[in-house]
Amino acid sequence: MTNIAEETGLTRQGIQHALSSKGNPRFDNVNSIMNALGYRLVPEKIDSNNQRV
């Protein structure tokens, strides 16, 4: 968690709060956390024929 905080510029407490059930993270924070973990968010069109309801 400390390494992710350093890479994102967020505090450990800020990350933990944002990702908690009571958190409301901003998109840029989520994107920064994902990037620090080695992932990227990619928009993908949902196929309406296979979409779950």
Side-chain angles (χ1 to χ4, degrees), residues 6-52:
E6 290 175 0
E7 289 186 44
T8 61
L10 302 168
T11 64
R12 287 180 63 236
Q13 294 81 8
I15 292 171
Q16 290 171 338
H17 182 269
L19 299 178
S20 74
S21 62
K22 294 184 181 187
N24 187 17
R26 296 186 338 220
F27 176 77
D28 60 328
N29 290 345
V30 172
N31 196 42
S32 294
I33 294 167
M34 295 289 291
N35 193 296
L37 293 171
Y39 293 91
R40 79 174 134 224
L41 297 173
V42 179
E44 182 177 304
K45 183 166 176 37
I46 298 172
D47 181 3
S48 61
N49 294 327
N50 293 327
Q51 184 177 8
R52 297 173 107 182

